[in-house]
Amino acid sequence: MDPFLIFEIMEQKIIHKGNEFLGLRRIDDLATILGMKSIYLKTLALNPEYKTFKIPKKSGGLRQIEAPSMALKRVQKILNYYLQPAYSIFRPEFVHGFIIKDEKVADSIGIISNARTHISKSNILTIDLEDFFHSFKAQDVWTLFSGDPFSFPEPLANMLTMLTTWYDMLPTGSPTSPVLSNFLTFTLDKKLSDLTAAKKGVYTRYADDMTFSFDNRIPVDIIQKIKMIILGEGFRLNNKKFRIQSGNRCQMVTGLVVNEKVNVSRKYIRQVRAILFDWTINGIEKAGARYFGMDYEQNFSYQSRFLESLKGRIQFIGNVRGRDDRIYRKLIQNYNSLIIE
């Protein structure tokens, strides 16, 4: 089938799902698309259950996760299934994060498309927002559902707010928090995009990572104005990740090199090679323990996770550099030969 026709059919289905959700007016209608009785849905909303735990951040420190119960998570996953298409109807082209990818579309929206926007720029400014999901309050979510584009009646807006927030904020482990954060940053995105465009620059956002790039030097006044907009919209800056990158050095956007083309860093490729070498010399158990910090010995589940994680890293290199790339083909060939052994 013609790939353009596939994309058109997919786009029509997305719009249909988005409009279906936007057309909800009663709690009973919501319960219907969730496949449950209204009384059970109300009970779930009035008594949300979450487990909290902390995981290490790549940059150091710990990140708190608020994970919903299985029943609530199921509801949130279905809500996300409808919220994502609704957001796609209004999504600005400069937003690249938290967008559901379609495996049939090769050029999906994500970190690669985000990075590609900033190729060969003279100067790049990257800013990270601190404690992103917790910046959004229950009142913000209720206002979103009550106003455009949803305009839900108060009882339905109340129900959706209770199902998607916890302790007056977006929980970090909820399936609906990412897409809701995109809706709730619409004003911030618009202001930053307009400001950057007025200075002949380019703005993109991937989750809590914002990137501004210019063909010339960054105007003196724009950094202060960007900060004022961000703080004025109720967000906090992560000063440790505030960087200006010039074109005569390696420029990184959402973890990818963008000086001349989108590419993975040499460090990333070296690490994948090191894992494969360690696996070859010392076996999967020791390699898994060394690079993933877990006891893989005699544990099939952990070994499976090791294989999936390593293959995912190699496939990521292929996605960025292309499947015909010599380095990618060598890495995947090495991986496959070790699997056979």
Side-chain angles (χ1 to χ4, degrees):
M1 184 180 288
D2 186 336
F4 290 102
L5 181 58
I6 292 175
F7 184 81
E8 185 178 341
I9 293 173
M10 181 195 72
E11 194 174 46
Q12 290 173 354
K13 288 182 178 179
I14 288 174
I15 293 173
H16 173 73
K17 286 297 178 186
N19 287 331
E20 184 178 354
F21 188 80
L22 292 171
L24 294 177
R25 285 296 169 264
R26 302 180 305 152
I27 292 177
D28 287 347
D29 299 332
L30 176 62
T32 298
I33 69 169
L34 292 173
M36 61 179 60
K37 294 181 178 179
S38 297
I39 185 66
Y40 179 70
L41 183 60
K42 292 175 182 178
T43 301
L44 200 61
L46 290 170
N47 301 281
E49 295 181 6
Y50 288 83
K51 288 184 179 180
T52 62
F53 55 92
K54 294 183 179 182
I55 60 173
K57 293 182 180 179
K58 289 183 179 180
S59 57
L62 297 173
R63 184 190 310 279
Q64 179 165 303
I65 303 295
E66 298 100 18
S69 64
M70 288 184 63
L72 182 56
K73 187 175 183 178
R74 175 186 173 275
V75 167
Q76 291 172 347
K77 280 186 173 181
I78 299 174
L79 286 175
N80 183 56
Y81 175 75
Y82 284 94
L83 283 166
Q84 283 283 358
Y87 179 71
S88 73
I89 297 173
F90 306 97
R91 180 187 76 86
E93 60 181 8
F94 44 77
V95 177
H96 297 260
F98 300 143
I99 309 297
I100 289 181
K101 298 178 177 61
D102 193 291
E103 299 301 327
K104 296 178 182 178
V105 180
D107 197 19
S108 294
I109 300 166
I111 64 170
I112 299 175
S113 64
N114 183 70
R116 188 183 295 120
T117 309
H118 304 282
I119 293 174
S120 301
K121 295 293 185 177
S122 296
N123 287 279
I124 296 176
L125 168 65
T126 55
I127 298 176
D128 183 79
L129 299 178
E130 195 169 80
D131 208 13
F132 187 53
F133 287 161
H134 292 171
S135 300
F136 304 102
K137 305 306 178 185
Q139 180 61 47
D140 299 325
V141 177
W142 186 88
T143 301
L144 169 68
F145 285 131
S146 299
D148 292 335
F150 299 101
S151 300
F152 290 145
E154 186 172 337
L156 183 56
N158 289 341
M159 174 65 67
L160 286 165
T161 301
M162 289 188 290
L163 289 169
T164 56
T165 61
W166 191 57
Y167 277 93
D168 193 36
M169 60 188 178
L170 288 183
T172 55
S174 167
T176 50
S177 291
V179 66
L180 288 176
S181 72
N182 273 343
F183 273 112
L184 293 166
T185 48
F186 189 86
T187 301
L188 173 70
D189 287 331
K190 182 70 166 58
K191 289 182 178 180
L192 292 176
S193 178
D194 288 349
L195 172 65
T196 309
K199 299 295 183 177
K200 298 183 179 180
V202 178
Y203 164 75
T204 64
R205 181 176 60 81
Y206 182 92
D208 56 355
D209 294 323
M210 298 179 295
T211 306
F212 309 79
S213 62
F214 299 85
D215 290 322
N216 300 302
R217 295 186 64 181
I218 299 178
V220 177
D221 63 329
I222 195 170
I223 295 178
Q224 189 60 32
K225 288 181 179 179
I226 287 171
K227 288 182 177 180
M228 289 176 62
I229 289 173
I230 293 171
L231 296 174
E233 289 296 315
F235 297 93
R236 290 181 295 160
L237 297 170
N238 184 342
N239 292 319
K240 293 180 180 179
K241 294 186 177 182
F242 188 97
R243 292 193 302 165
I244 297 177
Q245 308 172 68
S246 61
N248 57 4
R249 295 191 176 185
C250 180
Q251 295 173 314
M252 302 287 291
V253 174
T254 48
L256 295 171
V257 180
V258 295
N259 289 74
E260 297 178 357
K261 64 178 182 179
V262 176
N263 203 352
V264 292
S265 66
R266 294 178 181 177
K267 180 180 178 181
Y268 190 92
I269 293 174
R270 284 198 302 267
Q271 186 181 54
V272 171
R273 283 174 171 161
I275 298 173
L276 286 167
F277 181 76
D278 200 350
W279 180 8
T280 303
I281 301 301
N282 301 309
I284 192 172
E285 293 86 3
K286 291 184 179 180
R290 195 184 321 277
Y291 287 95
F292 298 96
M294 305 178 80
D295 183 9
Y296 281 69
E297 190 172 0
Q298 304 300 320
N299 191 313
F300 179 77
S301 175
Y302 284 168
Q303 290 185 23
S304 297
R305 287 171 58 188
F306 168 83
L307 295 175
E308 290 175 6
S309 179
L310 179 55
K311 187 174 183 179
R313 295 185 185 201
I314 297 172
Q315 296 290 8
F316 177 68
I317 293 172
N319 290 340
V320 176
R321 295 176 64 95
R323 297 306 168 95
D324 293 328
D325 177 71
R326 180 180 58 83
I327 292 176
Y328 163 73
R329 292 175 66 181
K330 181 66 176 177
L331 291 172
I332 196 67
Q333 182 182 3
N334 194 353
Y335 175 88
N336 290 332
S337 64
L338 287 169
I339 288 286
I340 294 173
E341 292 178 3

